[in-house]
Amino acid sequence: MIDVRSDTVTRPTPEMRKAGYHVEVGDDVYGEDLSVIKLEETAARMLGKEAALFVTSGTQGNQIAALTHCDRGDEVLLEADAHLFLYEGAAMSALAGVQPRTIQGVRGAMNPEHVRAAVRPDNIHFPETGMICIENSHNKAGGAIVPLENMQAIHDIAREHGIPVHLDGARLFNASVASGISVKDYAAQTDTVQFCLSKGLGAPVGSIISGSAEFIRKARKWRKRLGGGLRQVGVIAEPGYVALTTMVDRLAEDHEHAALLAEAFEQVPGLSIEGPVDTNIVIVNVAGLSMSSDHFVEELTKAGVFAGTFGPDTVRFVTHYDVNRNDIKQVIDRVNDLARVRS
């Protein structure tokens, strides 16, 4: 089976496995695991932030940001198809007691003036705007890169009103490699950043949240409250360090593979690509084959390819470290075979 459902399915490299096996560990709740400290310091330096915190997942990192930045009853502004809104189990409301207020964007980018208009005035009837969230790259928009200028404009508005900006950068390094803009430049337009080690970078577990030293001090307590205070965690932090320091540049290969898929699928009768392909995600509309996305994925699975439904008519293909050029050719051939059967 060739698995292109998500870049979360990547398996750790031999170097990561070896690093996790041989690492000296300590108790991270006591601040004694040197591998975790090394990972956090390296991540903070790369992002240009004062400090960082190793967390178990991107969702936990995003929720810690909401819990740390916001008070109960606050409102969070975010794009209508943001991961934080669609795919995190309403955790902001359930845990932080805040309500999301969505803004319809274009390919994941919110209009800064729409953001400005959504900031709540001082009025007893309204919640206070506790946080603005930007997602880059944007999952639901097909891995689209939110322009740096857009982020700058939103950050300027946030500073005018004293509102923190959080970046859900689960695939931030994909955006950086594809655009040529450093992660530090992206992070400079936000107060806090979350990025995943376990997606395109290929680590087995974990994410990073980064910001000011004071923010991380408070975030560390929220991580503990959420059950995220781990003990001899170097066995997964050391593979995360390997991922962060050796796997970034190779993301360009995933982007090339995604572009190959998109180019090939555009030639298949009955298929269409939804939006430009910026990074490692390809969204394919299958309505022209008179199939639902569920049916298409089911038939493609029988042919040896795992893909994922992304809407009633859309299917997501995600390239990653465990998919090579020959696998890409096989995916193209099997999709072509399926389309021929339907025509």
Side-chain angles (χ1 to χ4, degrees):
M1 297 296 294
I2 300 170
D3 196 340
V4 284
R5 289 172 298 175
S6 175
D7 44 13
T8 60
V9 303
T10 54
R11 292 162 297 183
T13 64
E15 184 181 358
M16 293 178 197
R17 294 175 187 269
K18 201 174 297 183
Y21 181 80
H22 290 291
V23 67
E24 292 290 334
V25 295
D27 190 317
D28 184 47
V29 173
Y30 290 131
E32 296 173 352
D33 193 302
L34 298 182
S35 293
V36 177
I37 294 170
K38 177 177 65 175
L39 172 62
E40 292 171 343
E41 290 178 347
T42 301
R45 187 165 56 250
M46 292 174 74
L47 294 168
K49 299 298 186 186
E50 289 181 345
L53 184 68
F54 182 64
V55 295
T56 58
S57 68
T59 294
Q60 186 180 74
N62 287 336
Q63 297 310 318
I64 287 173
L67 287 158
T68 306
H69 283 311
C70 299
D71 294 323
R72 295 187 69 82
D74 278 356
E75 187 169 71
V76 173
L77 304 183
L78 69 176
E79 203 276 330
D81 288 327
H83 189 281
L84 224 158
F85 178 63
L86 291 181
Y87 298 123
E88 300 190 8
M92 278 193 301
S93 300
L95 302 177
V98 300
Q99 72 176 20
R101 185 177 185 187
T102 59
I103 298 170
Q104 187 64 56
V106 177
R107 302 194 69 236
M110 297 179 287
N111 183 318
E113 291 310 310
H114 294 173
V115 174
R116 184 191 298 278
V119 173
R120 297 289 194 169
D122 185 11
N123 186 304
I124 195 172
H125 299 91
F126 299 147
E128 294 185 9
T129 304
M131 183 174 78
I132 300 171
C133 182
I134 300 171
E135 182 179 335
N136 203 3
S137 64
H138 195 288
N139 174 42
K140 193 66 174 176
I145 299 171
V146 175
L148 182 66
E149 296 77 13
N150 177 270
M151 294 180 62
Q152 289 172 327
I154 291 173
H155 192 217
D156 287 345
I157 292 166
R159 281 188 295 187
E160 289 174 21
H161 294 276
I163 301 167
V165 176
H166 174 64
L167 174 59
D168 178 1
R171 296 183 176 91
L172 178 61
F173 285 90
N174 289 93
S176 175
V177 168
S179 67
I181 297 170
S182 72
V183 292
K184 185 177 291 188
D185 286 341
Y186 281 123
Q189 311 313 317
T190 69
D191 297 280
T192 54
V193 183
Q194 179 274 128
F195 72 83
C196 290
L197 297 162
S198 58
K199 289 188 169 71
L201 299 181
V205 181
S207 291
I208 292 289
I209 185 168
S210 186
S212 69
E214 177 62 12
F215 170 84
I216 293 300
R217 184 188 69 78
K218 294 177 180 177
R220 190 175 296 276
K221 180 168 284 191
W222 274 116
R223 185 186 69 171
K224 178 65 175 173
R225 289 171 175 148
L226 294 174
L230 303 177
R231 300 300 177 174
Q232 287 71 38
V233 72
V235 293
I236 53 177
E238 192 68 14
Y241 177 80
V242 172
L244 185 58
T245 55
T246 68
M247 298 289 279
V248 172
D249 291 342
R250 63 144 306 278
L251 292 173
E253 181 180 329
D254 297 341
H255 303 161
E256 291 171 12
H257 289 166
L260 288 173
L261 286 179
E263 182 180 354
F265 292 162
E266 282 282 17
Q267 308 307 312
V268 178
L271 299 185
S272 60
I273 304 301
E274 298 206 342
V277 176
D278 288 351
T279 52
N280 67 322
I281 299 176
V282 182
I283 308 299
V284 182
N285 191 300
V286 301
L289 295 178
S290 299
M291 303 175 74
S292 68
S293 58
D294 286 335
H295 188 195
F296 181 91
V297 166
E298 182 182 338
E299 292 301 311
L300 196 56
T301 299
K302 294 176 184 176
V305 176
F306 283 134
T309 57
F310 217 50
D313 299 316
T314 53
V315 175
R316 187 179 75 158
F317 294 79
V318 185
T319 56
H320 52 81
Y321 176 72
D322 286 341
V323 177
N324 60 36
R325 188 63 63 94
N326 183 61
D327 293 329
I328 294 297
K329 182 179 182 303
Q330 292 295 316
V331 172
I332 293 169
D333 288 346
R334 294 173 197 183
V335 168
N336 268 295
D337 289 344
L338 177 55
R340 275 195 293 269
V341 169
R342 296 294 301 182
S343 63

